[in-house]
Amino acid sequence: MKILFVCLGNICRSPTAEAVTRTLAAREAPELALELDSAGTAAYHAGSPPDARTVAAAARRGYELSRLRARVVRPEDFDLFDLILAMDQENLAALRRRAPVSAQARVRLFLEFAPELERREVPDPYYGGPNGFEEVLDLAEAAARGLLAYLRRSARAA
Ligand code: 4NP
């Protein structure tokens, strides 16, 4: 199972989602053998490590992001990944415009997997204060747990 997390710059939200899901999957669902990656719909930060504030906030909760490097979404991603999970509606719309018809159903919102939050979007923390980075982590932890539960149910049903 291959999952791609997508935000705008690939330096804050989607690297956090990737690292949180990787850590929780290793601990709670190693049998799923997930392959995880992240990308941005915009290319401005391609090649850069994640935002220093994102790396620091994640490290305080035990998530390692410093080795990740930003990249833009590529056309072949729509063939390679089983799920392509957008952090907000704007990035969902950008992905839907680029995805072939055959991939549309695999393009979804990350927070769909945490319906108890009653939120659809992971807010962009880039121009806000430090609370924004904690909020991204809170939302990512909830959605990653929901995603792992969904994948376990799917694996059992298969
Ligand atoms: P991300 O956050 O989409 O969560 O990586 C952003 C990073 C950079 C910018 C916007 C959002 N930017 O405008 O440079």
Side-chain angles (χ1 to χ4, degrees):
M1 192 76 182
K2 293 185 168 65
I3 302 172
L4 183 67
F5 300 95
V6 178
C7 61
L8 183 65
N10 192 212
I11 57 169
C12 296
R13 292 166 291 175
S14 61
T16 300
E18 176 189 348
V20 166
T21 304
R22 179 171 292 123
T23 298
L24 297 183
R27 198 184 292 155
E28 299 171 14
E31 73 283 0
L32 292 174
L34 300 181
E35 290 183 37
L36 307 175
D37 197 1
S38 62
T41 56
Y44 351 104
H45 296 282
S48 300
D51 184 279
R53 299 164 296 174
T54 292
V55 174
R60 286 194 293 273
R61 296 195 195 188
Y63 306 112
E64 167 62 45
L65 271 70
S66 62
R67 284 189 295 271
L68 301 177
R69 293 295 177 267
R71 72 170 179 88
V72 71
V73 173
R74 298 186 280 256
E76 60 267 32
D77 289 329
F78 296 107
D79 300 321
L80 291 172
F81 289 91
D82 300 292
L83 280 174
I84 300 164
L85 301 179
M87 297 298 122
D88 62 22
Q89 301 278 11
E90 186 184 323
N91 287 295
L92 180 75
L95 289 167
R96 288 256 160 90
R97 284 193 296 273
R98 297 180 204 181
V101 171
S102 59
Q104 292 287 335
R106 287 183 271 119
V107 178
R108 297 168 64 175
L109 282 172
F110 185 38
L111 293 194
E112 266 185 50
F113 294 95
E116 73 281 5
L117 297 176
E118 299 186 345
R119 304 265 302 260
R120 303 278 288 162
E121 305 192 289
V122 182
D124 182 351
Y126 193 69
Y127 292 107
N131 277 349
F133 296 90
E134 298 302 327
E135 184 181 33
V136 170
L137 282 159
D138 292 340
L139 296 172
E141 286 173 341
R145 288 214 156 83
L147 174 62
L148 294 175
Y150 163 83
L151 294 172
R152 271 194 229 98
R153 286 194 303 274
S154 306
R156 272 202 300 273

